[in-house]
């Protein structure tokens, strides 16, 4: 996170997927007891997947 041109905080994003379940994420600023389903508009997720060359698909409102 950058505020007024200065680094204020580094946030780590962790993405996980178990078998046929949807992609999920957790950030270093979230309560570590849960995660959240990735939405199709998640630009951080799309960027990472494209850089890795990993395929994914959007079904209805979720990424698989």
């Amino acid at each position: 996170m950058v505020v007024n041109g200065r680094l204020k905080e580094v946030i780590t994003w962790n993405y996980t997927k178990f078998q046929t379940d949807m992609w999920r994420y957790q950030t270093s600023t979230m309560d570590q007891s849960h995660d959240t389903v990735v939405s199709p508009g998640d630009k951080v997720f799309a960027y990472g997947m494209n850089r890795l060359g990993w395929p994914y698909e959007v079904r209805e409102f979720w990424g698989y």
Side-chain angles (χ1 to χ4, degrees), residues 6 8 12-13 17 28 42 49 57 64:
R6 294 185 174 257
K8 182 175 179 179
T12 304
W13 292 68
K17 181 174 179 14
S28 54
D42 186 328
M49 294 300 273
E57 65 179 88
Y64 289 87

Side-chain angles (χ1 to χ4, degrees), residues 1-9:
M1 181 184 314
V2 177
V3 176
N4 296 326
R6 294 185 174 257
L7 180 63
K8 182 175 179 179
E9 181 179 10

Side-chain angles (χ1 to χ4, degrees), residues 40-55:
D42 186 328
K43 292 180 193 245
V44 174
F45 175 75
Y47 174 81
M49 294 300 273
N50 289 334
R51 292 286 294 168
L52 291 168
W54 290 2

Side-chain angles (χ1 to χ4, degrees), residues 27-57:
T27 71
S28 54
T29 59
M30 292 171 63
D31 175 356
Q32 300 300 301
S33 66
H34 74 282
D35 54 24
T36 302
V37 176
V38 173
S39 65
D42 186 328
K43 292 180 193 245
V44 174
F45 175 75
Y47 174 81
M49 294 300 273
N50 289 334
R51 292 286 294 168
L52 291 168
W54 290 2
Y56 68 96
E57 65 179 88

Side-chain angles (χ1 to χ4, degrees), residues 14-17 21-26 35-38 63:
N14 293 303
Y15 291 91
T16 57
K17 181 174 179 14
D21 194 16
M22 299 163 280
W23 279 98
R24 298 174 180 274
Y25 73 92
Q26 187 178 68
D35 54 24
T36 302
V37 176
V38 173

